[in-house]
Amino acid sequence: MSSLEVRNATIAYGRSVAVTDISVTVPAGTSLGIVGESGSGKTTIAAALVGMVPLITGDILLDGAVLGATRTKAQRRAIQLVQQDPYSSLNPRMTVRQMLRELLLAHAIVPRSQVAARCAQLMAMVSLDPGSLDAFPHQFSGGQRQRIAIARALAVEPSVLVADEPTSALDVSVQATVIELLARLKQELSLTLVFISHDLAVVNAVCDTVAVVKSGALVEVAPREQFFRAPQSPYSRALLEAVPRLPTR
């Protein structure tokens, strides 16, 4: 279980600034939902958290320690990403076993003699049949592929999981099962969770705190109950008002 903090972070792609002066804190074992429209900078923040995009200014801190531009192996392990599209994020030429085995051996998570058992355990952890370890990604459904992507992230035993729109590429009928899985894993593994989404219903179901981003700037941070009951910024209110509702009689 680890705390995560983003302090006055500005992030750019080349000369194009995508996110400006973002500051948020995620206490250990809690979950933060980052919401906003497409292009608001949510995925950029996710990429910076896992070290894929450098900061121009500011800092990212894990358990109070600043993560530098070059992270140690342990720091890279500690914060793992679950990407939006499981099909493109998984290597189509590798079986699930090969993907998990590669990570377990590279990071020396368990002794070589225990790798097979750990692969089976990871599959069971995400409610998949360990008997399908030797199948390739295309042999699974979209929801199953996302579970595999989650298992792959968990293979290196992170303390922070960053989920970037993990349900948006899935059928509505499958989304709920993935959300339930993430909520369960957060509790069972004492994970700190950063959940990137444009779906406010999903954020309401999963997150303790909500951060609202617009055009690369942070416009509001509030506890979930407060945000959904009485959002403070006009943009937050507009987001909530845009959520479809069934007509009442």
Side-chain angles (χ1 to χ4, degrees):
M1 186 182 297
S2 294
S3 64
L4 187 67
E5 182 181 356
V6 181
R7 186 183 294 170
N8 305 118
T10 295
I11 312 164
Y13 296 98
R15 296 183 179 180
S16 177
V17 176
V19 171
T20 304
D21 198 28
I22 291 284
S23 294
V24 291
T25 300
V26 195
T30 68
S31 51
L32 170 71
I34 302 179
V35 303
E37 298 172 294
S38 296
S40 61
K42 305 187 302 297
T43 293
T44 297
I45 296 171
L49 290 176
V50 298
M52 294 171 61
V53 180
L55 303 183
I56 300 301
T57 60
D59 294 299
I60 296 173
L61 296 86
L62 181 68
D63 289 330
V66 174
L67 300 177
T70 302
R71 299 186 183 184
T72 66
K73 194 172 185 178
Q75 289 171 339
R76 293 196 301 271
R77 275 181 53 189
I79 308 176
Q80 289 294 306
L81 175 67
V82 177
Q83 295 178 312
Q84 177 176 349
D85 182 1
Y87 194 77
S88 62
S89 68
L90 299 174
N91 188 331
R93 295 184 176 86
M94 296 179 73
T95 66
V96 178
R97 186 188 304 277
Q98 289 170 333
M99 283 186 272
L100 297 178
R101 176 183 170 83
E102 180 179 63
L103 288 168
L104 293 172
L105 292 175
H107 292 274
I109 303 298
V110 295
R112 185 176 291 269
S113 62
Q114 297 177 20
V115 166
R118 183 56 177 165
C119 288
Q121 186 180 34
L122 286 165
M123 289 291 275
M125 193 181 293
V126 296
S127 302
L128 289 175
D129 181 5
S132 60
L133 273 165
D134 293 311
F136 291 89
H138 73 270
Q139 295 175 280
F140 295 90
S141 68
Q144 289 172 328
R145 282 194 291 267
Q146 192 60 288
R147 288 171 183 270
I148 294 166
I150 294 169
R152 184 182 60 177
L154 296 177
V156 297
E157 300 180 353
S159 55
V160 179
L161 195 64
V162 180
D164 183 15
E165 300 272 13
T167 61
S168 64
L170 306 178
D171 293 338
V172 174
S173 60
V174 180
Q175 290 180 6
T177 63
V178 174
I179 294 165
E180 290 169 4
L181 172 65
L182 287 169
R184 174 173 63 79
L185 291 171
K186 174 182 173 292
Q187 295 299 318
E188 292 180 354
L189 303 177
S190 299
L191 291 169
T192 300
L193 178 65
V194 178
F195 196 93
I196 313 292
S197 183
H198 66 276
D199 190 328
L200 291 174
V202 171
V203 170
N204 191 25
V206 174
C207 300
D208 301 308
T209 306
V210 182
V212 183
V213 181
K214 178 185 180 184
S215 301
L218 190 65
V219 298
E220 181 170 356
V221 180
R224 180 190 65 234
E225 296 86 352
Q226 178 182 318
F227 173 80
F228 284 96
R229 183 180 66 252
Q232 297 301 300
S233 78
Y235 180 67
S236 297
R237 290 194 291 271
L239 286 178
L240 285 170
E241 289 168 1
V243 175
R245 291 177 173 82
L246 294 174
T248 57
R249 294 184 179 180

